[in-house]
Amino acid sequence: MEEKSLRRRREDEKSIQSNEPKTTSLQKEVGLLSGICIIVGTIIGSGIFISPKSVLANTEAVGPCLIIWASCGILATLGALCFAELGTMITKSGGEYPYLMEAFGPIPAYLFSWTSLVVMKPSSFAIICLSFSEYVCAPFYVGCKPPDTVVKCLAAAAILLITTVNALSVRLGSYVQNVFTAAKLVIVAIIIISGFVFLAQGNTKNFQNSFEGVQTSVGTISLAFYNGLWAYDGWNQLNYITEELRNPYRNLPLAIVIGIPLVTVCYILMNISYFTVMTPTELLQSQAVAVTFGDRVLYPASWVVPFFVAFSTIGAANGTCFTAGRLIYVAGREGHMLKVLSYISVKRLTPAPALIFYGIIATIYIIPGDINSLVNYFSFAAWLFYGVTILGLIVMRFTRKDLERPIKVPIVIPIFVLVVSVFLVLAPIISTPAWEYLYCVLFILSGLIFYFLFVHYKFKWAQKISRPVTMHLQMLLEVVPPEKDPE
């Protein structure tokens, strides 16, 4: 005991002499492999098991359907490369938030964090967990729909488990992501291999005349892209944890260049496998494409499909939670959310308050349960902010020439992604106008009320309420402010 205390005293003396106190900040725990797994694990979730039906319904034929899937992968890769330039130029966590802050100032950044934190990300997290819950419950309720109460309780338990894992340890969250990514790649491999076995046996009739009878419009193409891009959602997730990446200048672009094309190839091959076993009509009539595929190809071992699909969705939920917590953390650090949300656990060195807040909001979204239509309309808001962020990249090429750019993509790429973003935002509104789009825009702009009341003009009565709340939460959760902001 005496030796330990003497050693500790010497360490303290060295710390004081060197004037380098230990800092409480996010640690660089995420390497290249974990970065690739976060991209692959977050993108491959429930989307590839749901979206094929919607993409085919809007394209009406096998050929255009496969072209849409490949185009979505190319668009996601180009968008991610633009984000790689932003991520290595501005090495702060929080995804679009710090980029919008640097390019356009606090108001667009705040509106992004407001829309993301309150609706888009928690509702997406809730939907993924509800999908997981339905797949897990399905084998126990053969021939009937599982009770809503059971599905929602299991989804809430999944949110609690994932939030707890990520609040306990960055490394544990990364390990969990790696394991679930491996599990979901197993089901992807099973579907691809079994589909190509059928293809090798001569089941090619569904690919004959694959462009026959196609009647597409601008509206249907945009809706097909929406559904395809929903399956690719997560291509920008690594930018939310830039501060925790080891050697981000190397690992961020490498993880993007390896991860997203890998997902694209898997998606195209999975769709080919689906069409090998099912006709377009049968695929459109299927309630769950992957389960129907499993029943036809893997029986009597068809239970493997919902089992591994559940792993896939829980892995996507874990990746979403891992990255979204950092957005809340950065927004709190900038003073755009409650200050306690930017605090870091003393023992765990994780943004625990941000993760807990995220988990609570996601659990609230589970209560109504049917929020798919809401998320569809807010996906247009997501592409609105993607477009504004890419516009920020183009603007900073001229206004912030002093910033170091370890990665610099050709200017043609961000311009192309910006044009596509504008198309994706405007096309559904023009082709099928709906009040919900107006409500969505009004909700985004309503964030300005909170910005001017609580951020720009800091009223004393609000601070009197928040200070004791912050103090008690700080003691309860054992969290402290980060001691230094990353440069």
Side-chain angles (χ1 to χ4, degrees), residues 14 57 65 72 87 116 168 174 177 196 201 231 261 263 302 321 392 400 419 422 429 433 452:
K14 286 179 181 178
C65 179
C72 289
S116 295
L168 285 176
S174 293
Q177 191 64 38
F196 272 76
Q201 292 172 353
V263 172
S302 55
C321 179
R400 298 301 305 273
V419 170
V422 172
I429 299 175
F452 285 109

Side-chain angles (χ1 to χ4, degrees), residues 354-372:
L355 289 165
I356 293 168
F357 173 80
Y358 180 58
I360 291 170
I361 299 294
T363 307
I364 292 170
Y365 274 99
I366 280 178
I367 297 170
D370 185 21
I371 51 175
N372 286 282

Side-chain angles (χ1 to χ4, degrees), residues 110-111 114 442-452:
Y110 178 83
L111 289 178
W114 161 259
L442 290 175
F443 180 85
I444 294 171
L445 295 177
S446 69
L448 291 172
I449 299 171
F450 291 88
Y451 175 79
F452 285 109

Side-chain angles (χ1 to χ4, degrees), residues 150-205:
V150 175
V151 172
K152 291 177 183 180
C153 287
L154 185 57
I159 288 174
L160 177 63
L161 177 63
I162 293 167
T163 305
T164 303
V165 166
N166 282 278
L168 285 176
S169 168
V170 171
R171 189 168 294 176
L172 180 60
S174 293
Y175 286 157
V176 168
Q177 191 64 38
N178 295 355
V179 170
F180 281 126
T181 299
K184 71 178 62 181
L185 289 178
V186 170
I187 186 60
V188 168
I190 289 172
I191 291 174
I192 291 172
I193 292 169
S194 54
F196 272 76
V197 168
F198 270 69
L199 194 65
Q201 292 172 353
N203 294 294
T204 59
K205 59 183 179 182

